């Protein structure tokens, strides 16, 4: 080896060693130096701001040559084109236009308008346009999505009497303009009745983008319709600390201590794995089952596992919502939608994927993967049921079960994805094998379903389950739950004032996910029905507008436990499970009499690390700007 090579190798080795030392030093500083972490976070925000400004500049340049006249010309061209009529033609047309849009968008700025036109054509024939727009927003590059939205707004605001007459819909009787007044003609009143009829409403929906009356309104109006008025609560954007706002659950009327404020069923729930094997609780509603009263999936069925149920109703609901897709070889499509039987090798692959998933969940002793799987399966069940409803218009099509608390919107129904999108979450990096295993279960059931479970989507799913799931406990909870084998900081936690170790299972709720923690809570969760139905009960007298809080952890001072020890225990549990330092009145009052050493460093180390999605962050920022003199609120 010549001297030059030796020098080169020496320098390379020195650099590698230096980098390794720096990496160790960097990691040490990141973990132990509060000021260093603050500087990192500040630098991260600065870089993110620069990236955002660069994106905005690129977006402006990419669309600067496209005028409103260009968009109107494109809109007239698309309107003049013949539309597909049959469901088969519409499906083929939709797939073709989306494919064209994707290919054109990848070819650069000169093709952005043609790409947007293709995506817009697909939008016009899609049965649920608002849902498709949500998908577009997350999958299409921003300049093209912006053009699609501009075309949509032009289409909504531009009269099209020819097309409306062809479909029997008069623009003057559109539901967006409200019902006719008393002085209007009987013909107009009849038209209004015809348009607002459920069957006519479906025909309006099938008109694609013309039914997107105002997407911005739909996003901002969510909290006008959710939670529904029957729950006696609403979500309000309030300041929780100086410069920080977030959605909080407040009561809409006065309540006396001990009164039930509202009840709700979960979107999904799952039993602890040890109880699932014993068969002593219903696998669907989590009700305790008396000996000899259980109902089990038939052993001769093609089900991989055979859960126990308390009733036929629970068994049918479970099979329909998630069990058939996750643990049987049945088609994930409803029986009303014909599908070819799967080949034997396809069934074998599906069974292997399901067995691997069941084994993984059992080994991990965590409920979050199962809750995510059930949630996705339920999403798929709801969406496929819509296809049945669409083909059953005028034939008495069945409505899918909707036992979880939904919005009370009449004309625009929100879907499960809308509810999930608005929940807070923790940034969690899941095991890659976990994502792949569940994706295999979905893809083996029906190719394409794996799109529900990309690594990024799964990470968000897990993060939302980790932050929002409640522990289901009866009568103070059980004392025979197997001790966790994971490190304390990795142990799965759920919201329960009895402690996760006393639960029988976990559940996710749409309304109760907005409850925030307090060590001196204004309300408490109860499962007095003996099922996963949750009741929120007032701990004290409440006035209209008061914020509802519950205890995420056991906040009682145990016998022999000092105030300092109790405070430290619950704050560490909160930090480990939800990554925030409690600032409630009890913690603040107790802190006044504690020394710096007794307070500990938890409040410094565990700053609130929960997050919200960008769409929610933008909404909260807008709400702060509209109601505050200081609109630059931190919504994290």
């Amino acid at each position: 080896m010549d001297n030059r090579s030796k020098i080169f190798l020496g320098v390379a080795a020195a650099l590698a060693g230096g980098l390794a030392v720096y990496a160790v030093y960097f990691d040490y500083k990141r973990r132990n130096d509060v000021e260093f972490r603050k500087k990192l976070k500040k630098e991260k925000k600065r870089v993110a701001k620069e990236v955002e400004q660069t994106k905005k500049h690129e977006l402006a340049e990419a669309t600067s040559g496209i005028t409103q006249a260009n968009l109107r010309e494109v809109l007239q061209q698309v309107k003049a084109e013949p539309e597909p009529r049959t469901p088969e033609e519409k499906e083929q047309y939709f797939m073709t236009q989306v494919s064209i849009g994707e290919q054109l968008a990848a070819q650069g700025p000169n093709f952005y308008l043609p790409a947007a036109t293709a995506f817009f054509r697909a939008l016009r024939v899609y049965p649920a346009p608002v849902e498709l727009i949500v998908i577009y927003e997350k999958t299409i590059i921003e300049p093209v999505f912006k053009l699609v939205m501009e075309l949509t707004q032009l289409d909504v605001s531009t009269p099209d009497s020819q097309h409306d007459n062809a479909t029997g819909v008069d623009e003057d009787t559109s539901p967006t303009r409200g019902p006719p007044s008393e002085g209007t003609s009987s013909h107009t009143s009849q038209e209004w009745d015809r348009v607002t009829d459920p069957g006519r409403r479906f025909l309006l929906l099938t008109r694609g983008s013309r039914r997107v009356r105002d997407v911005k309104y739909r996003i901002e109006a969510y909290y006008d319709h959710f939670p529904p008025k029957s729950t006696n609560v609403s979500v309000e954007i309030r300041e929780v600390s100086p410069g920080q706002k977030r959605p909080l659950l407040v009561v809409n009327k006065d309540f006396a201590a001990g009164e039930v404020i509202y009840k709700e069923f979960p979107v999904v729930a799952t039993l602890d794995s040890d109880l699932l094997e014993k068969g002593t609780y219903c696998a669907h509603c989590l009700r305790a089952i008396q000996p000899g009263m259980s109902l089990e999936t038939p052993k001769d069925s093609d089900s991989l596992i055979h859960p126990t149920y308390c009733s036929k109703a629970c068994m049918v609901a479970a099979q329909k919502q998630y069990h058939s897709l996750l643990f049987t070889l049945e088609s994930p499509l409803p029986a009303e939608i014909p599908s070819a039987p799967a080949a034997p090798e396809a069934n074998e692959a599906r069974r292997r994927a399901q067995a691997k998933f069941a084994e993984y969940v059992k080994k991990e002793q965590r409920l979050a993967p199962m809750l995510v799987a059930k949630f996705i399966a339920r999403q798929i069940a709801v969406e496929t049921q819509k296809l049945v409803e669409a083909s059953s218009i005028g034939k008495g099509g069945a409505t899918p079960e909707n036992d979880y608390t939904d919005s009370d919107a009449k004309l625009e129904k929100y879907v499960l994805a809308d509810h999930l999108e608005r929940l807070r979450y923790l940034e969690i990096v899941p095991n890659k094998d976990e994502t792949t295993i569940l994706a295999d279960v979905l893809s083996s059931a029906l190719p394409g379903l794996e799109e529900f479970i990309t690594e990024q989507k799964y990470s968000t799913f897990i993060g939302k389950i980790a932050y929002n799931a409640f522990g289901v406990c009866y009568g103070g909870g059980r004392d025979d739950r197997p001790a966790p084998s994971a490190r304390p900081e990795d142990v799965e936690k759920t919201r329960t004032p009895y402690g996760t170790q006393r639960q029988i299972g976990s559940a996710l709720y749409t309304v109760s996910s907005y409850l925030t923690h307090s060590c001196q809570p204004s309300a408490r969760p109860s499962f007095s029905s003996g099922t996963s139905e949750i009741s929120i009960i007032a701990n004290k007298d409440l006035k209209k507008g008061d914020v509802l809080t519950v205890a995420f952890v056991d906040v009682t001072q145990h016998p022999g436990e000092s105030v300092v020890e109790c405070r430290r225990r619950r704050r560490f549990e909160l930090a480990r499970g939800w990554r925030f330092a409690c600032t409630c009145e009890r913690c603040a009052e107790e802190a006044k009499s504690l020394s710096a050493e007794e307070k500990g460093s938890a409040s410094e180390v565990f700053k609130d690390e929960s997050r919200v999605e960008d769409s929610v962050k933008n909404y909260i920022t807008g709400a702060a700007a509209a109601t505050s003199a200081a609109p630059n609120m931190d919504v994290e």
Side-chain angles (χ1 to χ4, degrees), residues 14-48:
L15 284 173
L19 288 172
V21 170
Y22 179 74
V24 172
Y25 170 77
F26 180 88
D27 187 64
Y28 173 81
K29 294 283 284 183
R30 180 178 63 83
R31 290 174 181 272
N32 298 279
D33 190 327
V34 175
E35 290 302 319
F36 186 71
R37 282 200 305 276
K38 289 181 179 178
K39 289 179 180 178
L40 282 178
K41 188 173 182 180
K42 187 175 181 181
E43 179 65 14
K44 183 179 178 181
K45 287 185 176 181
R46 184 189 66 79
V47 172

Side-chain angles (χ1 to χ4, degrees), residues 227-235 249-252 261-262 511 548:
K229 292 179 175 59
S230 60
T231 60
N232 302 314
V233 294
S234 58
V235 174
L249 202 61
V250 302
V251 292
N252 292 339
I261 300 168
Y262 70 85
V511 177
L548 278 180

Side-chain angles (χ1 to χ4, degrees), residues 121-140:
R121 288 192 181 102
L123 184 64
R124 283 171 63 86
V125 301
Y126 194 72
V130 175
E131 295 171 26
L132 183 59
I133 285 177
V134 173
I135 296 172
Y136 276 175
E137 185 179 16
K138 296 179 180 178
T139 56
I140 298 176

